[in-house]
């Protein structure tokens, strides 16, 4: 995180660097940069600045990085993809910046080397790259060097060179390029006839400049008298001098009015006064227009000014903030939407060090580097994660413009989410459970959502082979996913919208890896889409995007995961029917996607294709999402709900939907929550379960089928640890790892061997693997134990094939799994067994020259002996020859001879034999002494 630097305003240093850099930059004007005078212990901080346009905001941190948020139409945020951002997002490819300027739909940056860069709309050539092509990333402005200041109008741009020469380019309909024509230019052209200039500012269609003699000149649009030379109307393609003003140190320009800050701290204004933006009125009537500068009544001791579309801002030397003019969106920050003809102080806002303005919103930085915003927020330009207008300043969380040189860069901040086990999931008519690291499923299976390799329904637990180390489950409509302990993801079932994220839309009836995902810490499965949270706090999505549930600002489905931009660090995610919730480490909730019932909690029913913050919700520790409602668990043990409520699933005693969070009535002491399609669950700290909402099939578990709009206790045993809510059924795991189910059972989703729905919980049995070819087999117990421990798998057809030869590839997997060696996912193009081979090589068990055939060929008893003995000794490299290995394996009791004690090292070994030998190996490693085959010992001698 960025260190907060406490600074003081240093006017002498500001003047030394140059008055030009104090211009009011940006479309409709923004505040100039501020310099932080830091202590020597913290080093020189650099320049900070904030500027705004019509619907977006740009900030410059003291480390020279640029951050943007708000509307991204035409690429004005410089983020490449045309996705709005509701919180500050860094432009990663732009550094060493010392000034910014913001136009209507374009942005400029001035680098420390004097070069200018631009991005966004380019319909009038305002980017200066010689084209009319919009740019989503910064491009170099041609022909400029040694630039010391920049400014931007609606569709034009301005730059001031160190020698006092001004350049302009872009739209010239009002003569704002100052070249005595009205022709647009897509590269910079020198403004003719100017004296030496020290600072510049741009309004919508006019430009102001301060001369070396501290007078002001202007050119461009004059429909409101904003050029200040005594007339109103028309346009000037050549500069004119603003009359009756001198000793000016800074200027700012709005839509059709202008401001000047004098050396004595007084402020003058001229131009249109339709909303009181001149601040010069006496009584209750506006001047309407002033063609010459008028003093802003009663304002003294000012050090900075800024102008919006029809409002103005001023900062005093004491750090107080004053505003006046238009206020229809709350852009004056005074707690209401009343226009003000005379300035108003923003009460309680102190220690201001930097100000800026957008068209209809305001910004300020305090002396601690914190950023505050207010006014219009329709496009997220306030950066607080919402689209709610603010009539008073709000602070942007976890965002400072001050960066100490000793701070860790944002890109290298250390943050790591830990994987939280969730061994149960309930989908639409099916259930999945992890027991002893193995996956079991039952219920409907039309799309292969049981993962058993078929489409056959099952009303009792079915063992799913091929999935080891499962730690977390999530289920959607007809799809399920598992997060493994190594942070990789497996998915199965329906993939019609590409929700697996594996690059395809093919359904899978057995668990399949999502190869592009690693280091995942949490997963969520919705209706045909998926959300993945990585250990680094980033969020990724894939699948259906009809309602914007992928959070990418677009509407196209995606078959591979992509990062959700505009989010802070996230520590938990939840997927609803068509919306997503995300929880930050500091207890705040973000949401996006479908909002038809207010399930995003932002106070509206507008869908959001990019993340927005849920206001008025803090100290949240867990989240859950139903089809079209949402839940949040707070640190105090209370549960809050919002969204659709026709069945009482909000638990507030009503059936009225809500667009903002409200507490679930009478519920306290809760430690975990779950949300189904239309019902909700809570587990209390005492292990009791409570439920509310739809109860058509008894899914609330209270012995009835009555809907409940307040929480009722489920008739489950005490000690419940985990719960999962499906469409119309519920499942739970208790402290003894027993599984309980209740509710709808039409597809066998309760797993009790029948198809009858139940309104009370019942414990489910049958979690022992049943292989059709093991009855009476001599190695039955050993095989069942190996399967339960994840050392071996059966086949999708329900067989184990114990007397079939074991391939070398299967044997290395058996050994690596039994020894719990670190095994990674295979790299692209590698065979599935390569990671197991690599793990055994790293452990010194598999040596060069060991193989006596191909990997898919049958392993020999001699190979098994060598690898088993090496695994049992502390010096595996000393076991080289087969004869010595066979002898050692027999002496330790790990292997026995065949008929007559014959060791037969060249013969193949079976799956059953290999499992028994490996289990004996584990026993030897545990320090046990095993009985030996005497006949084989005699044969050895």
């Amino acid at each position: 995180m960025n260190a907060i630097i406490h600074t003081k305003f240093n006017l002498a240093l500001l003047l030394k660097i140059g008055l030009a850099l104090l211009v009011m930059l940006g479309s409709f004007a923004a505040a100039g940069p501020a310099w932080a005078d830091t202590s020597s212990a913290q080093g020189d901080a650099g320049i900070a600045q904030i500027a705004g346009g019509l619907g977006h905001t740009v900030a410059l941190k003291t480390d020279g990085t640029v951050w943007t948020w708000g509307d991204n139409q035409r690429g004005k945020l410089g983020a490449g993809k045309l996705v709005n951002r509701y919180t500050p997002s860094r432009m990663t490819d732009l550094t060493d910046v010392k000034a910014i300027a913001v136009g209507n739909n374009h942005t400029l940056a001035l680098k420390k080397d004097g070069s200018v860069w631009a991005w966004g709309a380019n319909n009038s050539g305002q980017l200066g790259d010689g084209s009319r092509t919009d740019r989503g990333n910064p491009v170099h402005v041609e022909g400029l060097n040694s630039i010391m200041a920049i400014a931007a109008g609606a569709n034009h741009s301005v730059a001031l060179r160190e020698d006092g020469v001004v350049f302009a380019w872009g739209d010239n309909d009002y003569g704002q390029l100052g070249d005595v024509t009205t022709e647009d230019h897509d590269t910079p052209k020198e403004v003719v006839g100017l004296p030496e200039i020290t600072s510049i500012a741009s309004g919508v269609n006019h430009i102001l400049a301060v001369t070396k003699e501290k007078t002001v000149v202007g050119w461009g649009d004059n429909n409101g008298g904003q050029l200040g030379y005594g007339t109103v109307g028309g346009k000037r393609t050549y500069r004119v001098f603003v009359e009756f003003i001198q000793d000016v140190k800074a200027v700012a320009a709005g839509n059709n009015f202008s401001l000047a800050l004098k050396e004595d701290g007084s402020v003058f204004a001229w131009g249109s006064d339709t909303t009181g933006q001149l601040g010069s009125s006496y009584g209750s009537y506006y001047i309407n227009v002033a063609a010459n500068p008028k003093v802003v009544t009663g304002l003294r001791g000012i050090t900075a000014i800024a102008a919006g579309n029809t409002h103005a801002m001023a900062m005093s030397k004491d750090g107080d903030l004053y505003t006046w003019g238009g206020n229809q969106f709350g852009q004056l920050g005074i707690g209401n939407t009343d226009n003000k003809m005379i300035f108003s102080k923003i009460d309680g806002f102190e220690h201001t060090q930097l100000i800026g303005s957008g068209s209809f919103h305001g910004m300020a930085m305090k002396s601690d580097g914190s950023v505050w915003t207010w006014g219009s927020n329709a496009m997220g330009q306030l950066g607080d994660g919402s689209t709610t207008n603010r009539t008073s300043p709000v602070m942007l969380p976890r965002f400072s413009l001050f960066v100490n040189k000793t701070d860790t860069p944002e890109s290298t901040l250390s943050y790591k989410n830990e994987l939280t086990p969730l061994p149960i999931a309930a989908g639409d008519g099916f259930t999945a459970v992890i027991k002893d690291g193995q996956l079991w499923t039952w219920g409907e299976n039309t799309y292969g959502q049981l993962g058993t390799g078929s489409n056959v329904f099952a009303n009792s637990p079915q063992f799913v082979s091929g999935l080891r180390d499962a730690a977390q489950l999530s289920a959607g409509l007809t799809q399920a996913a598992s997060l493994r302990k190594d942070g990789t993801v497996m998915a199965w079932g329906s993939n019609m919208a590409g929700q697996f994220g594996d690059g395809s839309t093919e359904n899978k009836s057995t668990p399949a890896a999502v190869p592009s995902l690693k280091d995942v810490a949490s997963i969520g499965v919705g209706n045909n889409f998926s959300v993945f949270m990585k250990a680094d706090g980033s969020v990724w999505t894939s699948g259906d995007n009809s309602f914007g549930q992928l959070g990418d600002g677009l509407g196209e489905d995606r078959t591979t995961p992509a990062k959700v931009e505009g989010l802070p660090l996230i520590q938990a995610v939840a997927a609803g029917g068509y919306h997503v919730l995300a929880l930050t480490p500091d207890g705040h909730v973000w949401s996006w996607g479908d909002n038809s019932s207010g399930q995003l909690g932002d106070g509206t029913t507008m869908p959001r294709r990019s993340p927005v913050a849920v206001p008025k919700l803090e100290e949240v520790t867990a989240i859950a999402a139903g089809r079209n409602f949402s839940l949040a668990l707070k640190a105090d043990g209370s549960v809050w709900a919002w969204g659709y409520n026709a069945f009482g699933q909000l638990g507030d005693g009503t059936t009225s939907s809500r667009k903002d969070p409200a507490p679930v009535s009478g519920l306290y002491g809760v430690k975990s929550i779950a949300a189904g399609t239309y019902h909700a669950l809570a587990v209390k700290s005492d292990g009791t379960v409570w439920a509310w909402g739809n109860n058509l099939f008894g899914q609330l578990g209270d012995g009835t089928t009555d809907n409940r709009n307040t929480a009722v206790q489920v008739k489950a045993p005490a000690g419940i640890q985990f719960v999962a809510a499906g469409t119309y059924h519920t499942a739970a795991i208790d402290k003894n790892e027993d599984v309980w189910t209740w509710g709808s059972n039409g597809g066998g989703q309760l797993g009790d061997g029948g198809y009858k729905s139940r309104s009370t919980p019942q414990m489910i049995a049958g979690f022992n693997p049943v292989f059709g070819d093991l009855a009476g087999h001599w190695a039955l117990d050993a095989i069942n134990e190996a399967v339960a421990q994840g050392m071996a798998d059966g086949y999708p057809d329900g067989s184990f094939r114990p007397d079939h030869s074991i391939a070398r590839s299967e044997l290395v997997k058996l050994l690596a799994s039994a020894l719990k060696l670190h095994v990674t996912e295979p790299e692209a193009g590698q065979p599935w067994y390569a990671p197991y081979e690599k793990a055994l090589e790293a452990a010194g068990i598999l040596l060069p020259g060991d193989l006596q055939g191909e990997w898919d060929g049958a392993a020999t008893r001699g190979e098994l002996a060598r690898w088993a003995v090496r695994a049992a000794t502390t010096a595996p490299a000393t076991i080289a020859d087969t004869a010595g290995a066979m002898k050692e394996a027999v002496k330790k009791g790990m292997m026995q001879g065949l008929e007559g004690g014959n060791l037969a090292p060249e013969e193949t070994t079976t799956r059953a034999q290999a499992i028994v030998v490996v289990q004996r190996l584990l026993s030897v490693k545990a320090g046990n002494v095993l009985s030996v085959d005497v006949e084989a010992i005699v044969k050895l001698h």
Side-chain angles (χ1 to χ4, degrees):
M1 297 181 65
N2 297 329
I4 296 177
I5 306 170
H6 296 278
T7 67
K8 61 181 181 179
F9 189 82
N10 191 321
L11 182 59
L13 177 60
L14 191 153
L15 291 171
K16 179 179 179 182
I17 295 176
L19 292 173
L21 291 176
L22 192 59
V23 299
M24 304 301 108
L25 302 173
S27 168
F28 320 121
W35 285 264
D37 184 13
T38 64
S39 69
S40 58
Q42 294 172 314
D44 295 330
I47 299 170
Q49 188 186 349
I50 191 164
L54 181 61
H56 75 296
T57 306
V58 184
L60 171 62
K61 288 193 175 187
T62 56
D63 62 356
T65 60
V66 177
W67 298 67
T68 60
W69 60 93
D71 179 26
N72 197 24
Q73 294 182 57
R74 310 188 73 170
K76 68 184 96 171
L77 298 187
K81 292 187 292 186
L82 302 182
V83 179
N84 292 357
R85 302 282 189 262
Y86 296 92
T87 58
S89 178
R90 179 182 172 181
M91 294 181 59
T92 55
D93 52 355
L94 194 61
T95 57
D96 293 323
V97 174
K98 68 175 182 178
I100 52 175
V102 182
N104 190 16
N105 288 301
H106 76 291
T107 310
L108 304 177
L110 171 60
K111 299 187 76 170
K112 294 176 183 177
D113 62 5
S115 64
V116 179
W117 298 73
W119 59 94
N122 200 23
N123 52 294
S124 299
Q126 58 262 48
L127 300 190
D129 66 346
S131 78
R132 300 296 174 97
T133 303
D134 293 355
R135 307 290 185 180
N137 297 105
V139 294
H140 184 238
V141 178
E142 297 182 359
L144 292 178
N145 57 72
S146 302
I147 299 301
M148 62 181 292
I150 51 176
N155 296 299
H156 68 274
S157 305
V158 193
L160 171 62
R161 201 165 62 190
E162 292 175 351
D163 60 2
V165 175
V166 178
F167 297 85
W169 60 97
D171 179 29
N172 198 24
D173 286 351
Y174 293 89
Q176 59 264 51
L177 303 190
D179 64 349
V180 201
T181 76
T182 55
E183 297 177 3
D184 297 351
H185 295 294
D186 52 24
T187 57
K189 302 295 181 183
E190 182 178 343
V191 178
V192 299
L194 291 179
E196 184 176 346
I197 300 301
T198 59
S199 69
I200 52 176
S202 181
V204 174
N205 292 307
H206 75 291
I207 297 173
L208 302 176
V210 179
T211 71
K212 184 179 180 181
E213 288 73 28
K214 301 182 180 180
T215 59
V216 180
V217 295
W219 60 95
D221 184 22
N222 194 42
N223 283 325
Q226 59 262 48
L227 297 185
Y229 69 104
T231 65
V232 177
K235 55 192 173 188
R236 292 300 301 248
T237 62
Y238 184 78
R239 59 97 182 127
V240 294
F241 279 87
V242 177
E243 297 178 344
F244 312 122
I245 194 166
Q246 56 188 358
D247 294 326
V248 174
K249 72 172 185 178
V251 285
N255 182 5
N256 49 12
F257 77 104
S258 304
L259 300 175
L261 172 62
K262 296 187 67 172
E263 293 284 0
D264 63 3
S266 61
V267 178
F268 283 71
W270 59 97
S272 174
D273 193 35
T274 53
T275 61
Q277 60 262 49
L278 301 189
S280 304
S281 299
Y282 294 91
S284 58
Y285 297 99
Y286 303 126
I287 295 175
N288 189 37
V289 65
N292 298 116
K294 305 290 184 182
V295 67
V296 176
T297 308
L299 206 55
R300 295 289 184 269
I302 300 303
T303 57
I305 52 175
N309 188 56
T310 58
H311 75 283
M313 302 170 60
M315 179 183 74
S316 75
K317 61 184 179 182
D318 298 322
D320 294 328
L321 184 54
Y322 302 91
T323 58
W324 63 95
N327 195 29
Q328 63 269 50
F329 300 101
Q331 59 262 45
L332 298 188
I334 55 177
N336 58 51
T337 56
D338 299 332
N339 296 345
K340 294 294 181 181
M341 295 176 289
I342 302 295
F343 69 85
S344 295
K345 179 182 174 182
I346 299 182
D347 291 334
F349 199 84
E350 301 174 336
H351 309 297
T352 311
Q353 187 166 340
L354 171 67
I355 57 175
S357 180
S359 181
F360 299 104
H361 69 292
M363 304 84 75
M365 182 192 77
K366 290 192 174 184
S367 58
D368 60 1
S370 61
V371 175
W372 299 68
T373 59
W374 59 94
S376 176
N377 199 24
M379 305 302 291
Q381 60 262 49
L382 298 190
D384 64 350
S386 77
T387 53
T388 303
N389 295 345
R390 309 290 186 181
T391 60
S392 298
V394 293
M395 187 179 75
L396 303 194
R398 303 170 299 278
F399 187 68
S400 172
L401 296 189
F402 287 164
V403 181
N404 192 352
K405 289 185 177 181
T406 61
D407 285 353
T408 303
E410 186 87 10
S411 60
T412 61
L413 287 175
S414 176
Y415 180 82
K416 183 175 177 61
N417 282 313
E418 298 297 333
L419 191 156
T420 302
L422 183 58
I424 192 166
D428 182 29
F430 72 102
T431 308
V433 170
I434 300 170
K435 284 182 69 69
D436 299 319
Q438 300 299 303
L439 176 64
W440 299 78
T441 60
W442 58 91
E444 296 181 10
N445 198 25
T446 304
Y447 297 91
Q449 57 263 48
L450 298 190
T452 55
S454 74
N455 297 102
V456 179
F457 288 28
N459 61 5
S460 61
Q462 303 297 302
F463 172 68
V464 180
S465 61
L467 180 59
R468 60 182 176 83
D469 295 329
Q472 190 181 108
L473 293 174
S474 184
L477 198 64
T478 53
Q479 170 216 348
S482 173
L483 176 59
R484 295 165 62 183
K485 293 177 182 178
D486 62 1
T488 59
V489 177
M490 306 285 281
W492 60 96
S494 173
N495 192 29
M496 64 178 65
Q499 56 261 44
F500 288 3
D502 64 353
S504 79
T505 55
E506 297 178 3
N507 298 345
K508 304 289 195 305
S509 61
T510 57
V514 181
S516 60
L517 284 173
K518 300 182 185 300
D519 298 320
V520 177
S522 183
I523 55 176
V525 177
N527 290 355
N528 299 322
F529 77 98
S530 303
V531 57
F532 313 96
M533 181 197 73
K534 290 193 174 184
D536 64 3
S538 63
V539 177
W540 301 66
T541 55
S542 59
D544 178 35
N545 200 21
S546 302
F547 295 88
Q549 58 264 49
L550 300 191
D552 60 0
L554 307 174
E556 294 83 18
D557 296 353
R558 199 172 50 241
T559 61
T560 55
K563 183 179 179 181
V564 178
E565 303 289 352
L567 280 173
L569 293 174
I570 297 300
Q571 73 169 17
V573 290
Y578 304 98
H579 74 290
V580 180
L581 303 178
L583 174 64
T584 67
D586 62 358
H588 291 88
V589 178
W590 294 68
S591 59
W592 62 93
D594 181 28
N595 197 25
S596 55
S597 298
Q599 59 262 48
L600 300 188
D602 66 346
T604 77
T605 54
M606 294 175 57
R608 304 294 185 184
R609 296 187 178 274
S610 298
V612 295
V614 179
K616 304 175 184 177
L617 193 62
E618 299 178 340
E619 298 182 351
V620 174
T621 60
I623 49 177
R627 177 181 173 86
N628 45 16
F629 74 101
S630 302
L631 300 176
L633 171 62
K634 284 194 171 188
D636 62 4
S638 63
V639 179
W640 294 62
W642 60 98
Y644 189 59
N645 195 30
F647 302 99
Q649 59 263 48
L650 301 190
D652 62 355
T654 76
T655 53
S656 301
S657 299
R658 295 185 57 90
K659 295 181 289 187
D660 47 21
V664 174
S665 302
L667 200 58
Y668 56 90
V670 174
K671 69 174 184 178
S672 66
I673 52 176
T677 297
Y678 299 120
H679 73 291
L681 302 165
V683 180
K684 287 191 174 185
S685 299
D686 60 6
T688 60
V689 183
W690 297 71
W692 60 98
N694 185 280
N695 198 25
L696 179 64
F697 296 95
Q699 60 262 44
L700 300 189
D702 65 344
T704 77
T705 55
D706 299 331
N707 296 343
R708 305 288 188 177
N709 57 23
T710 57
V712 294
Q713 186 171 350
V714 177
K715 294 182 177 181
I720 296 296
Q721 300 297 306
F722 302 98
V723 290
T727 299
Y728 296 113
H729 79 290
T730 305
I733 297 178
D734 67 18
K735 61 185 178 182
N736 300 316
E737 299 188 10
D738 291 325
V739 178
W740 301 75
T741 60
W742 59 96
S744 175
N745 199 24
Q749 59 263 48
L750 298 190
D752 59 2
Y755 294 97
K756 184 179 180 180
S757 300
R758 285 187 282 101
S759 61
T760 56
Q762 177 178 313
M763 189 172 74
I764 306 305
F767 289 99
N768 294 317
V770 178
F771 299 108
D773 54 355
L774 285 184
H777 195 276
W778 65 270
L780 174 63
D781 292 340
I783 291 172
N784 281 338
E785 183 180 351
V787 171
Q789 293 176 354
M791 294 162 47
D793 296 328
Y795 291 90
D797 63 0
S799 67
F800 190 82
R801 306 172 196 177
D803 298 320
H804 283 220
S805 297
I806 186 169
R808 294 181 179 88
S809 55
E810 292 179 304
L811 182 55
V812 295
K813 176 184 177 182
L814 172 63
L815 277 165
S817 300
L819 296 170
K820 301 187 183 304
L821 301 179
H822 176 67
V823 179
T824 61
E825 287 296 321
E827 298 178 1
Q830 280 190 332
W832 67 268
Y833 56 80
Y836 300 101
E837 174 191 358
K838 184 178 180 181
L840 290 182
E841 288 176 346
I845 296 170
L846 179 60
L847 300 179
D850 272 355
L851 296 186
Q852 299 175 12
E854 299 298 325
W855 278 108
D856 58 357
T860 66
R861 286 170 54 83
E863 289 171 319
L864 175 58
R866 283 201 307 273
W867 296 343
V869 172
R870 285 178 190 154
T873 182
T874 56
T878 62
I879 310 299
D881 65 292
T882 300
M886 293 292 293
K887 180 179 180 179
E888 191 68 19
V890 171
K891 289 172 62 177
K892 289 182 177 293
M894 290 190 294
M895 292 189 72
Q896 296 178 337
L898 301 179
E899 185 177 354
N902 185 18
L903 295 178
E906 301 302 326
E907 289 194 21
T908 59
T909 187
T910 67
R911 284 166 55 84
Q913 290 170 345
I915 285 174
V916 170
V917 170
V918 169
Q919 287 183 331
R920 289 174 178 171
L921 155 66
L922 296 178
S923 184
V924 170
K925 287 179 66 68
N928 298 318
V929 178
L930 306 181
S931 60
V932 298
D933 184 346
V934 177
E935 195 172 5
I937 291 291
V938 173
K939 200 77 171 178
L940 284 172
H941 294 288

